[in-house]
Amino acid sequence: MTCSACGATPLVHWQRRLTDAELADYIGLEQARRDEQILLADPQQATPVFGPLPTAADVTRAVHACGQHAIGMNAAALIHAKTCTAPNPATLPACNCTPEPAPPPEPAPTASPLPVSWGGTGGA
Ligand SMILES: [Zn+2]
Ligand SMILES: [Zn+2]
């Protein structure tokens, strides 16, 4: 692993989508793995059943960067476009893509009210 901008030892990384070629490779490998499992499967047993093949939305790849080419911590928390590379120092601290928006935050669990004997409202 090296920084994708300069080849130095990476300090940080973030996720990006796979390019079309990478995704085709990835799905090809997955298909080959499944074909092999079917070939090796015990004929006395049920044929292995697989879920749908992965799509672009299921897989990410890491972009590595050294300290000089790192993006901001907030940006690194997002999933970046397939073209994303470590940013050019001239355009720091942004990378060259528009990251996907962050998933909506988990709704806070609604706590049950404490019973009256514990100093709560008892739900009233
Ligand atoms: Zn670098
Ligand atoms: Zn990016």
Side-chain angles (χ1 to χ4, degrees), residues 80 84 95 97:
H80 288 243
C84 186
C95 62
C97 82

Side-chain angles (χ1 to χ4, degrees), residues 1-19 22 59-67 69-72 75-88 94-97 99:
M1 295 301 166
T2 56
C3 170
S4 16
C6 69
T9 305
L11 283 177
V12 299
H13 71 270
W14 58 96
Q15 303 297 316
R16 66 164 171 82
R17 294 299 177 193
L18 273 60
T19 64
E22 286 170 341
V59 279
T60 57
R61 196 150 285 194
V63 181
H64 295 269
C66 69
H69 293 127
I71 58 173
L78 304 173
I79 297 180
H80 288 243
K82 58 188 172 187
T83 53
C84 186
T85 56
N88 184 309
C95 62
N96 56 353
C97 82

Side-chain angles (χ1 to χ4, degrees), residues 6-53:
C6 69
T9 305
L11 283 177
V12 299
H13 71 270
W14 58 96
Q15 303 297 316
R16 66 164 171 82
R17 294 299 177 193
L18 273 60
T19 64
D20 297 341
E22 286 170 341
L23 187 66
D25 278 359
Y26 182 84
I27 291 175
L29 278 175
E30 175 64 18
Q31 187 62 60
R33 192 183 68 82
R34 293 179 180 197
D35 291 347
E36 189 180 334
Q37 278 195 26
I38 288 173
L39 272 180
L40 297 176
D42 185 345
Q44 310 284 335
Q45 305 284 326
T47 317
V49 178
F50 303 103
L53 280 167

